[in-house]
mmCIF file of all heavy atoms in Angstrom:
data_model
loop_
_atom_site.group_PDB
_atom_site.id
_atom_site.type_symbol
_atom_site.label_atom_id
_atom_site.label_comp_id
_atom_site.label_asym_id
_atom_site.label_seq_id
_atom_site.Cartn_x
_atom_site.Cartn_y
_atom_site.Cartn_z
ATOM 1 N N SER A 1 81.710 55.735 92.584
ATOM 2 C CA SER A 1 81.598 57.086 92.972
ATOM 3 C C SER A 1 83.092 57.585 93.295
ATOM 4 O O SER A 1 83.739 57.072 94.134
ATOM 5 C CB SER A 1 80.596 57.317 94.182
ATOM 6 O OG SER A 1 80.650 58.709 94.572
ATOM 7 N N GLU A 2 83.459 58.749 92.698
ATOM 8 C CA GLU A 2 84.759 59.231 92.920
ATOM 9 C C GLU A 2 84.759 60.699 93.226
ATOM 10 O O GLU A 2 85.465 61.269 94.176
ATOM 11 C CB GLU A 2 85.635 59.000 91.757
ATOM 12 C CG GLU A 2 85.977 57.450 91.688
ATOM 13 C CD GLU A 2 87.080 57.172 90.582
ATOM 14 O OE1 GLU A 2 87.596 58.053 90.022
ATOM 15 O OE2 GLU A 2 87.456 55.965 90.420
ATOM 16 N N ASP A 3 84.113 61.576 92.424
ATOM 17 C CA ASP A 3 84.099 62.979 92.441
ATOM 18 C C ASP A 3 82.889 63.491 93.095
ATOM 19 O O ASP A 3 81.813 62.836 93.057
ATOM 20 C CB ASP A 3 84.429 63.555 91.167
ATOM 21 C CG ASP A 3 85.739 63.260 90.580
ATOM 22 O OD1 ASP A 3 86.546 62.755 91.283
ATOM 23 O OD2 ASP A 3 85.993 63.641 89.369
ATOM 24 N N LYS A 4 82.862 64.714 93.664
ATOM 25 C CA LYS A 4 81.726 65.407 94.150
ATOM 26 C C LYS A 4 81.510 66.723 93.447
ATOM 27 O O LYS A 4 82.521 67.262 93.214
ATOM 28 C CB LYS A 4 81.888 65.550 95.660
ATOM 29 C CG LYS A 4 82.191 64.295 96.371
ATOM 30 C CD LYS A 4 80.915 63.393 96.598
ATOM 31 C CE LYS A 4 81.328 62.142 97.275
ATOM 32 N NZ LYS A 4 80.601 60.944 97.057
ATOM 33 N N ILE A 5 80.202 67.163 93.411
ATOM 34 C CA ILE A 5 79.967 68.446 92.932
ATOM 35 C C ILE A 5 79.045 69.098 94.002
ATOM 36 O O ILE A 5 78.100 68.519 94.470
ATOM 37 C CB ILE A 5 79.167 68.356 91.522
ATOM 38 C CG1 ILE A 5 80.149 67.710 90.544
ATOM 39 C CG2 ILE A 5 78.730 69.836 91.100
ATOM 40 C CD1 ILE A 5 79.310 67.475 89.171
ATOM 41 N N VAL A 6 79.414 70.365 94.235
ATOM 42 C CA VAL A 6 78.503 71.203 95.207
ATOM 43 C C VAL A 6 78.011 72.392 94.332
ATOM 44 O O VAL A 6 78.771 73.078 93.688
ATOM 45 C CB VAL A 6 79.310 71.671 96.299
ATOM 46 C CG1 VAL A 6 78.432 72.399 97.377
ATOM 47 C CG2 VAL A 6 80.105 70.550 97.101
ATOM 48 N N LEU A 7 76.692 72.512 94.265
ATOM 49 C CA LEU A 7 76.185 73.673 93.531
ATOM 50 C C LEU A 7 75.328 74.498 94.495
ATOM 51 O O LEU A 7 74.503 74.023 95.350
ATOM 52 C CB LEU A 7 75.164 73.044 92.443
ATOM 53 C CG LEU A 7 74.212 73.895 91.738
ATOM 54 C CD1 LEU A 7 74.959 74.896 90.928
ATOM 55 C CD2 LEU A 7 73.239 73.089 90.849
ATOM 56 N N GLU A 8 75.567 75.791 94.314
ATOM 57 C CA GLU A 8 74.874 76.783 95.160
ATOM 58 C C GLU A 8 74.134 77.617 94.191
ATOM 59 O O GLU A 8 74.736 78.231 93.230
ATOM 60 C CB GLU A 8 75.904 77.724 95.920
ATOM 61 C CG GLU A 8 75.156 78.721 96.734
ATOM 62 C CD GLU A 8 76.104 79.732 97.410
ATOM 63 O OE1 GLU A 8 77.309 79.870 97.066
ATOM 64 O OE2 GLU A 8 75.672 80.416 98.444
ATOM 65 N N TRP A 9 72.759 77.713 94.385
ATOM 66 C CA TRP A 9 71.963 78.570 93.589
ATOM 67 C C TRP A 9 72.055 80.008 94.136
ATOM 68 O O TRP A 9 71.390 80.232 95.234
ATOM 69 C CB TRP A 9 70.533 78.076 93.573
ATOM 70 C CG TRP A 9 70.405 76.839 92.937
ATOM 71 C CD1 TRP A 9 70.277 75.524 93.467
ATOM 72 C CD2 TRP A 9 70.448 76.460 91.512
ATOM 73 N NE1 TRP A 9 70.150 74.575 92.504
ATOM 74 C CE2 TRP A 9 70.299 75.230 91.299
ATOM 75 C CE3 TRP A 9 70.615 77.296 90.313
ATOM 76 C CZ2 TRP A 9 70.272 74.573 90.035
ATOM 77 C CZ3 TRP A 9 70.560 76.728 89.133
ATOM 78 C CH2 TRP A 9 70.380 75.459 88.994
ATOM 79 N N ASN A 10 72.808 80.826 93.614
ATOM 80 C CA ASN A 10 73.037 82.088 94.232
ATOM 81 C C ASN A 10 72.641 83.290 93.261
ATOM 82 O O ASN A 10 73.364 83.631 92.261
ATOM 83 C CB ASN A 10 74.585 82.237 94.414
ATOM 84 C CG ASN A 10 74.895 83.549 95.097
ATOM 85 O OD1 ASN A 10 74.265 84.107 95.956
ATOM 86 N ND2 ASN A 10 76.116 84.108 94.784
ATOM 87 N N ASN A 11 71.449 83.883 93.703
ATOM 88 C CA ASN A 11 70.984 85.088 92.881
ATOM 89 C C ASN A 11 71.038 84.898 91.293
ATOM 90 O O ASN A 11 71.568 85.737 90.575
ATOM 91 C CB ASN A 11 71.870 86.313 93.312
ATOM 92 C CG ASN A 11 71.692 86.692 94.739
ATOM 93 O OD1 ASN A 11 70.678 86.530 95.285
ATOM 94 N ND2 ASN A 11 72.817 87.217 95.379
ATOM 95 N N ASN A 12 70.502 83.848 90.927
ATOM 96 C CA ASN A 12 70.529 83.476 89.419
ATOM 97 C C ASN A 12 71.951 83.280 88.792
ATOM 98 O O ASN A 12 72.045 83.324 87.655
ATOM 99 C CB ASN A 12 69.651 84.456 88.678
ATOM 100 C CG ASN A 12 68.146 84.414 89.137
ATOM 101 O OD1 ASN A 12 67.737 83.295 89.463
ATOM 102 N ND2 ASN A 12 67.548 85.568 89.197
ATOM 103 N N GLU A 13 72.915 83.280 89.580
ATOM 104 C CA GLU A 13 74.328 82.987 89.104
ATOM 105 C C GLU A 13 74.825 81.772 89.935
ATOM 106 O O GLU A 13 75.516 81.961 90.812
ATOM 107 C CB GLU A 13 75.228 84.128 89.307
ATOM 108 C CG GLU A 13 74.884 85.387 88.570
ATOM 109 C CD GLU A 13 75.781 86.524 88.824
ATOM 110 O OE1 GLU A 13 76.382 86.659 89.915
ATOM 111 O OE2 GLU A 13 76.055 87.310 87.860
ATOM 112 N N PRO A 14 74.438 80.558 89.422
ATOM 113 C CA PRO A 14 74.876 79.372 90.174
ATOM 114 C C PRO A 14 76.358 79.234 90.288
ATOM 115 O O PRO A 14 77.038 79.568 89.292
ATOM 116 C CB PRO A 14 74.185 78.286 89.336
ATOM 117 C CG PRO A 14 73.193 78.885 88.511
ATOM 118 C CD PRO A 14 73.602 80.261 88.284
ATOM 119 N N ARG A 15 76.736 78.757 91.362
ATOM 120 C CA ARG A 15 78.299 78.661 91.685
ATOM 121 C C ARG A 15 78.489 77.154 91.854
ATOM 122 O O ARG A 15 77.873 76.533 92.771
ATOM 123 C CB ARG A 15 78.730 79.494 92.846
ATOM 124 C CG ARG A 15 78.358 80.918 92.549
ATOM 125 C CD ARG A 15 79.028 81.927 93.518
ATOM 126 N NE ARG A 15 78.591 81.724 94.851
ATOM 127 C CZ ARG A 15 78.807 82.582 95.888
ATOM 128 N NH1 ARG A 15 79.560 83.566 95.686
ATOM 129 N NH2 ARG A 15 78.308 82.419 97.036
ATOM 130 N N VAL A 16 79.442 76.641 91.017
ATOM 131 C CA VAL A 16 79.553 75.123 91.048
ATOM 132 C C VAL A 16 81.056 74.890 91.570
ATOM 133 O O VAL A 16 81.997 75.546 91.159
ATOM 134 C CB VAL A 16 79.440 74.578 89.649
ATOM 135 C CG1 VAL A 16 79.774 73.041 89.612
ATOM 136 C CG2 VAL A 16 78.098 74.873 89.091
ATOM 137 N N LEU A 17 81.227 74.006 92.478
ATOM 138 C CA LEU A 17 82.668 73.502 92.846
ATOM 139 C C LEU A 17 82.662 72.058 92.599
ATOM 140 O O LEU A 17 81.867 71.232 93.084
ATOM 141 C CB LEU A 17 82.812 73.770 94.355
ATOM 142 C CG LEU A 17 84.189 73.362 94.881
ATOM 143 C CD1 LEU A 17 85.343 74.001 94.193
ATOM 144 C CD2 LEU A 17 84.297 73.370 96.338
ATOM 145 N N VAL A 18 83.567 71.648 91.727
ATOM 146 C CA VAL A 18 83.810 70.223 91.473
ATOM 147 C C VAL A 18 85.039 69.737 92.227
ATOM 148 O O VAL A 18 86.157 70.324 92.073
ATOM 149 C CB VAL A 18 84.146 69.994 89.831
ATOM 150 C CG1 VAL A 18 84.404 68.538 89.550
ATOM 151 C CG2 VAL A 18 82.888 70.471 89.129
ATOM 152 N N ILE A 19 84.913 68.813 93.058
ATOM 153 C CA ILE A 19 86.025 68.319 93.861
ATOM 154 C C ILE A 19 86.371 66.864 93.304
ATOM 155 O O ILE A 19 85.619 65.976 93.328
ATOM 156 C CB ILE A 19 85.624 67.976 95.371
ATOM 157 C CG1 ILE A 19 84.922 69.407 95.863
ATOM 158 C CG2 ILE A 19 86.728 67.619 96.205
ATOM 159 C CD1 ILE A 19 84.195 69.172 97.206
ATOM 160 N N THR A 20 87.496 66.865 92.709
ATOM 161 C CA THR A 20 87.936 65.511 91.956
ATOM 162 C C THR A 20 89.132 64.947 92.745
ATOM 163 O O THR A 20 90.036 65.669 93.174
ATOM 164 C CB THR A 20 88.287 65.868 90.537
ATOM 165 O OG1 THR A 20 88.600 64.588 89.867
ATOM 166 C CG2 THR A 20 89.468 66.935 90.342
ATOM 167 N N LYS A 21 89.142 63.674 92.694
ATOM 168 C CA LYS A 21 90.182 63.031 93.329
ATOM 169 C C LYS A 21 91.234 62.445 92.266
ATOM 170 O O LYS A 21 92.118 61.663 92.655
ATOM 171 C CB LYS A 21 89.712 61.772 94.253
ATOM 172 C CG LYS A 21 89.033 60.656 93.586
ATOM 173 C CD LYS A 21 88.322 59.734 94.452
ATOM 174 C CE LYS A 21 89.288 58.794 95.228
ATOM 175 N NZ LYS A 21 88.634 57.840 96.022
ATOM 176 N N SER A 22 91.127 62.836 91.075
ATOM 177 C CA SER A 22 91.945 62.374 90.033
ATOM 178 C C SER A 22 92.668 63.730 89.391
ATOM 179 O O SER A 22 91.980 64.538 88.773
ATOM 180 C CB SER A 22 91.251 61.633 88.941
ATOM 181 O OG SER A 22 92.063 61.494 87.813
ATOM 182 N N ALA A 23 94.043 63.614 89.391
ATOM 183 C CA ALA A 23 94.709 64.795 88.804
ATOM 184 C C ALA A 23 94.538 64.788 87.377
ATOM 185 O O ALA A 23 94.524 65.783 86.724
ATOM 186 C CB ALA A 23 96.264 64.645 89.130
ATOM 187 N N ASP A 24 94.392 63.575 86.683
ATOM 188 C CA ASP A 24 94.203 63.433 85.383
ATOM 189 C C ASP A 24 92.848 64.102 84.891
ATOM 190 O O ASP A 24 92.793 64.711 83.882
ATOM 191 C CB ASP A 24 94.163 62.013 84.835
ATOM 192 C CG ASP A 24 95.543 61.340 84.950
ATOM 193 O OD1 ASP A 24 96.569 62.062 84.915
ATOM 194 O OD2 ASP A 24 95.589 60.042 85.021
ATOM 195 N N ARG A 25 91.763 63.985 85.658
ATOM 196 C CA ARG A 25 90.504 64.630 85.324
ATOM 197 C C ARG A 25 90.519 66.105 85.433
ATOM 198 O O ARG A 25 89.727 66.769 84.872
ATOM 199 C CB ARG A 25 89.476 64.028 86.135
ATOM 200 C CG ARG A 25 88.905 62.551 85.743
ATOM 201 C CD ARG A 25 87.563 62.205 86.241
ATOM 202 N NE ARG A 25 87.754 62.082 87.762
ATOM 203 C CZ ARG A 25 88.051 60.912 88.295
ATOM 204 N NH1 ARG A 25 88.507 59.830 87.614
ATOM 205 N NH2 ARG A 25 87.900 60.806 89.605
ATOM 206 N N MET A 26 91.517 66.637 86.202
ATOM 207 C CA MET A 26 91.618 68.121 86.216
ATOM 208 C C MET A 26 91.888 68.702 84.855
ATOM 209 O O MET A 26 91.592 69.904 84.609
ATOM 210 C CB MET A 26 92.769 68.579 87.234
ATOM 211 C CG MET A 26 92.338 68.304 88.761
ATOM 212 S SD MET A 26 90.954 69.374 89.359
ATOM 213 C CE MET A 26 91.822 70.871 89.411
ATOM 214 N N THR A 27 92.570 68.021 84.066
ATOM 215 C CA THR A 27 93.024 68.527 82.681
ATOM 216 C C THR A 27 92.296 67.717 81.573
ATOM 217 O O THR A 27 92.647 68.077 80.420
ATOM 218 C CB THR A 27 94.605 68.361 82.678
ATOM 219 O OG1 THR A 27 94.968 67.002 82.787
ATOM 220 C CG2 THR A 27 95.262 69.246 83.543
ATOM 221 N N SER A 28 91.510 66.773 81.846
ATOM 222 C CA SER A 28 90.842 65.936 80.815
ATOM 223 C C SER A 28 89.847 66.818 80.107
ATOM 224 O O SER A 28 88.913 67.433 80.654
ATOM 225 C CB SER A 28 90.115 64.716 81.458
ATOM 226 O OG SER A 28 89.257 64.202 80.473
ATOM 227 N N GLU A 29 90.004 66.952 78.749
ATOM 228 C CA GLU A 29 89.083 67.590 77.924
ATOM 229 C C GLU A 29 87.611 66.979 77.928
ATOM 230 O O GLU A 29 86.744 67.656 77.938
ATOM 231 C CB GLU A 29 89.545 67.856 76.483
ATOM 232 C CG GLU A 29 90.705 68.739 76.302
ATOM 233 C CD GLU A 29 91.194 68.915 74.862
ATOM 234 O OE1 GLU A 29 90.387 68.738 73.956
ATOM 235 O OE2 GLU A 29 92.361 69.203 74.745
ATOM 236 N N GLU A 30 87.691 65.719 77.891
ATOM 237 C CA GLU A 30 86.420 64.894 77.957
ATOM 238 C C GLU A 30 85.646 65.245 79.192
ATOM 239 O O GLU A 30 84.449 65.544 79.138
ATOM 240 C CB GLU A 30 86.685 63.515 77.733
ATOM 241 C CG GLU A 30 85.295 62.714 77.586
ATOM 242 C CD GLU A 30 85.514 61.150 77.231
ATOM 243 O OE1 GLU A 30 86.602 60.729 77.222
ATOM 244 O OE2 GLU A 30 84.454 60.468 77.056
ATOM 245 N N TYR A 31 86.261 65.159 80.445
ATOM 246 C CA TYR A 31 85.685 65.355 81.600
ATOM 247 C C TYR A 31 85.154 66.872 81.673
ATOM 248 O O TYR A 31 84.055 67.174 82.116
ATOM 249 C CB TYR A 31 86.561 65.017 82.761
ATOM 250 C CG TYR A 31 86.021 65.173 84.144
ATOM 251 C CD1 TYR A 31 84.886 64.295 84.421
ATOM 252 C CD2 TYR A 31 86.499 65.842 85.132
ATOM 253 C CE1 TYR A 31 84.251 64.327 85.668
ATOM 254 C CE2 TYR A 31 85.901 65.972 86.314
ATOM 255 C CZ TYR A 31 84.773 65.082 86.700
ATOM 256 O OH TYR A 31 84.240 65.198 87.966
ATOM 257 N N THR A 32 86.017 67.826 81.207
ATOM 258 C CA THR A 32 85.595 69.192 81.279
ATOM 259 C C THR A 32 84.312 69.492 80.400
ATOM 260 O O THR A 32 83.462 70.192 80.797
ATOM 261 C CB THR A 32 86.760 70.107 80.665
ATOM 262 O OG1 THR A 32 87.899 69.993 81.554
ATOM 263 C CG2 THR A 32 86.437 71.511 80.644
ATOM 264 N N GLY A 33 84.319 68.772 79.291
ATOM 265 C CA GLY A 33 83.068 68.914 78.265
ATOM 266 C C GLY A 33 81.880 68.340 79.121
ATOM 267 O O GLY A 33 80.692 68.954 78.873
ATOM 268 N N ILE A 34 81.992 67.292 79.717
ATOM 269 C CA ILE A 34 80.876 66.664 80.573
ATOM 270 C C ILE A 34 80.364 67.653 81.660
ATOM 271 O O ILE A 34 79.129 67.946 81.616
ATOM 272 C CB ILE A 34 81.184 65.316 81.224
ATOM 273 C CG1 ILE A 34 81.429 64.298 80.138
ATOM 274 C CG2 ILE A 34 80.107 64.899 82.161
ATOM 275 C CD1 ILE A 34 82.141 62.997 80.681
ATOM 276 N N ILE A 35 81.288 68.189 82.319
ATOM 277 C CA ILE A 35 80.862 69.111 83.406
ATOM 278 C C ILE A 35 80.235 70.416 82.759
ATOM 279 O O ILE A 35 79.175 70.896 83.340
ATOM 280 C CB ILE A 35 81.977 69.435 84.264
ATOM 281 C CG1 ILE A 35 82.539 68.232 84.983
ATOM 282 C CG2 ILE A 35 81.668 70.587 85.373
ATOM 283 C CD1 ILE A 35 81.558 67.461 85.920
ATOM 284 N N LEU A 36 80.919 71.030 81.761
ATOM 285 C CA LEU A 36 80.381 72.214 81.198
ATOM 286 C C LEU A 36 79.040 72.011 80.598
ATOM 287 O O LEU A 36 78.080 72.768 80.779
ATOM 288 C CB LEU A 36 81.338 72.710 80.223
ATOM 289 C CG LEU A 36 82.663 73.445 80.761
ATOM 290 C CD1 LEU A 36 83.561 73.771 79.622
ATOM 291 C CD2 LEU A 36 82.315 74.583 81.628
ATOM 292 N N GLY A 37 78.899 70.884 79.879
ATOM 293 C CA GLY A 37 77.543 70.555 79.210
ATOM 294 C C GLY A 37 76.453 70.367 80.315
ATOM 295 O O GLY A 37 75.331 70.820 79.997
ATOM 296 N N LEU A 38 76.724 69.773 81.295
ATOM 297 C CA LEU A 38 75.772 69.534 82.316
ATOM 298 C C LEU A 38 75.230 70.820 82.935
ATOM 299 O O LEU A 38 74.064 71.083 83.070
ATOM 300 C CB LEU A 38 76.344 68.684 83.541
ATOM 301 C CG LEU A 38 75.612 68.480 84.764
ATOM 302 C CD1 LEU A 38 74.246 67.619 84.481
ATOM 303 C CD2 LEU A 38 76.443 67.862 85.892
#
């Protein structure tokens, strides 16, 4: 376990905060695709 995600269900506009401990994952296209797809 490395990163955390906090999801707030807000008036049918969910707000997501991804807290990552890897600078590389901040710019990784593969990781971005996983998060967006989810």
